[in-house]
Amino acid sequence: MTQPIPVGTLTGRTALVTGSSRGIGADTARYLAQAGANVVINFRNKAPRAEKLAAQLRELDVEVLVVGADLTNAASVEAMMTAVKETFGTLDLLVLNASGGMESGMGEDYALLLNRDAQLNVLDAALPLMPDGSRVVFVTSHQAHFIRTTPTMPEYEPVALSKRAGEDALRERIPELTEHGIEFVVVSGDMIEGTITATLLERANPGAIADRRESAGKLYNVSEFAAEVALAAVEPIPAGNTRLVGDVSSFGGE
């Protein structure tokens, strides 16, 4: 795993990565810790994985807090932020990575609840802890970011629409965040090889990932995309507050 951020860059700073017990979130947390950040690992129901990751990160001589929280539950989110405040005092980086909507057995409105409403709730709960100079990173997909102009697979459309709704709602907060000296950036990537979403899409639409890989020329894997998310935490905010990762030639405008 190549370290995208120089060691020591984030020493003394604290980062919370939602949905970080596995996948992109876990690798993002690892990159941030390697750069010196204290890390808050958030999980919903993967406590053993979260604790295993925490043990690995503590070997990097950083502090790690593991907090289980259901992001769709306001009280659960508040309890998480209380734990962050008691442990670290402040929060310098909030990575809104957790998302979903393709899981079976969830309510009809679950995608919107998680991908829009919960994102705003987490931000609101975190803001009192975030000082001038801190940053919010929202992780999304090209299929969601460009959903207004470029159709996606029917199986993914409800998720894409809900994630775009979440992105829009967060973007509306940029003026308020700017007033508080807090930066905001969206990181959008193509389908990511090896993610749960890609697995579910492939199951629902066999051949979908191979087709997209052929069209794009390359699809990032989990570690590669996580490196881009980590870089978004430290590099200058790009135009339009958007960091596009991978090929976008087959997508229309936003």
Side-chain angles (χ1 to χ4, degrees):
M1 177 178 279
T2 304
Q3 170 59 16
I5 309 173
V7 174
T9 301
L10 294 174
T11 297
R13 296 171 73 81
T14 299
L16 165 59
V17 183
T18 63
S20 49
S21 65
R22 61 185 177 183
I24 294 166
D27 278 3
T28 298
R30 185 175 284 108
Y31 284 131
L32 297 176
Q34 288 173 352
N38 298 318
V39 176
V40 183
I41 298 171
N42 159 249
F43 69 95
R44 188 182 68 180
N45 54 17
K46 300 292 182 184
R49 290 190 187 188
E51 293 292 353
K52 181 179 180 180
L53 175 63
Q56 294 170 352
L57 299 191
R58 290 186 182 113
E59 294 179 0
L60 300 171
D61 199 27
V62 298
E63 289 188 63
V64 183
L65 174 66
V66 179
V67 188
D70 178 354
L71 302 187
T72 65
N73 183 296
S76 186
V77 171
E78 283 293 343
M80 176 171 66
M81 294 306 173
T82 297
V84 173
K85 183 177 182 180
E86 291 175 349
T87 304
F88 298 112
T90 59
L91 181 64
D92 302 288
L93 176 62
L94 174 62
V95 181
L96 297 170
N97 165 73
S99 65
M102 293 192 68
E103 303 88 342
S104 59
M106 297 297 189
E108 188 176 334
D109 63 345
Y110 179 71
L112 201 57
L113 181 64
L114 176 59
N115 297 331
R116 183 192 64 187
D117 301 347
Q119 308 300 319
L120 292 173
N121 289 340
V122 172
L123 176 61
D124 285 335
L127 279 180
L129 305 180
M130 301 187 75
D132 185 359
S134 54
R135 183 176 293 194
V136 178
V137 178
F138 177 68
V139 182
T140 189
S141 66
H142 293 345
Q143 288 73 24
H145 182 69
F146 294 102
I147 188 61
R148 292 200 195 100
T149 58
T150 308
T152 188
M153 290 174 285
E155 297 85 358
Y156 189 66
E157 187 172 293
V159 176
L161 289 170
S162 65
K163 283 188 68 66
R164 182 66 220 203
E167 179 182 337
D168 291 342
L170 289 166
R171 284 183 182 276
E172 289 177 5
R173 304 292 294 276
I174 290 177
E176 175 192 349
L177 295 174
T178 302
E179 283 184 16
H180 290 88
I182 300 172
E183 297 176 316
F184 175 81
V185 61
V186 170
V187 182
S188 178
D190 210 325
M191 291 181 187
I192 308 300
E193 304 257 22
T195 60
I196 294 171
T197 297
T199 300
L200 292 173
L201 280 172
E202 185 67 22
R203 190 177 301 162
N205 188 351
I209 303 303
D211 289 346
R212 182 58 200 152
R213 187 188 307 114
E214 182 177 353
S215 174
K218 167 188 169 59
L219 293 180
Y220 282 63
N221 63 31
V222 168
S223 177
E224 290 169 334
F225 184 63
E228 295 291 336
V229 176
L231 283 169
V234 298
E235 292 191 341
I237 301 293
N241 299 81
T242 308
R243 184 184 184 96
L244 297 173
V245 180
D247 178 70
V248 295
S249 61
S250 60
F251 294 93
E254 295 180 26

